[in-house]
Amino acid sequence: MSGWPVVDSVQFAKQHAAKQCSVAVSEFKRLAQVVLGDEGEFEVGLEGFEDSEGRPCLNLHVAGSLTVTCQRCLEPLADYAEDVAPPRRLAARTCSLVAST
């Protein structure tokens, strides 16, 4: 997954910036090992915002579908994932992510 943009997350949030891209399943090496075929992609979106108290936050959206082998019957199993990551509040001093409550 080299070549992905690097952002200053606190600045990104304070500017209310947004970024979207498509990522091929094949870029996720471990995931690509269990997916049937090498097709498929995820739509990824990152939005910066400030919560009601002015704290910088990030919201990550991931949506896509892929087919894996069912470990019970060994038949293809289609799966769909959307918004798999909850919003995160950034700790301004350390720039680490903490779960929003």
Side-chain angles (χ1 to χ4, degrees):
M1 290 185 278
S2 61
W4 283 35
V6 176
V7 298
D8 176 335
S9 53
V10 173
Q11 181 96 5
F12 191 87
K14 288 184 177 184
Q15 292 177 344
H16 296 242
K19 205 130 182 85
Q20 293 187 0
C21 66
S22 296
V23 182
V25 171
S26 61
E27 289 195 46
F28 298 94
K29 302 301 181 207
R30 290 178 57 195
L31 181 60
Q33 294 172 1
V34 297
V35 174
L36 294 176
D38 58 356
E39 296 181 14
E41 64 182 21
F42 292 103
E43 294 296 320
V44 179
L46 182 65
E47 298 173 341
F49 65 98
E50 294 175 293
D51 67 10
S52 60
E53 296 177 17
R55 297 177 294 203
C57 300
L58 294 177
N59 200 7
L60 174 67
H61 302 279
V62 179
S65 62
L66 48 89
T67 303
V68 297
T69 302
C70 174
Q71 297 300 299
R72 181 172 168 239
C73 67
L74 301 178
E75 294 292 321
L77 177 68
D79 193 13
Y80 181 78
E82 184 170 356
D83 292 340
V84 296
R88 301 289 182 195
R89 186 181 73 235
L90 299 172
R93 289 183 190 249
T94 63
C95 298
S96 62
L97 293 176
V98 292
S100 297
T101 55

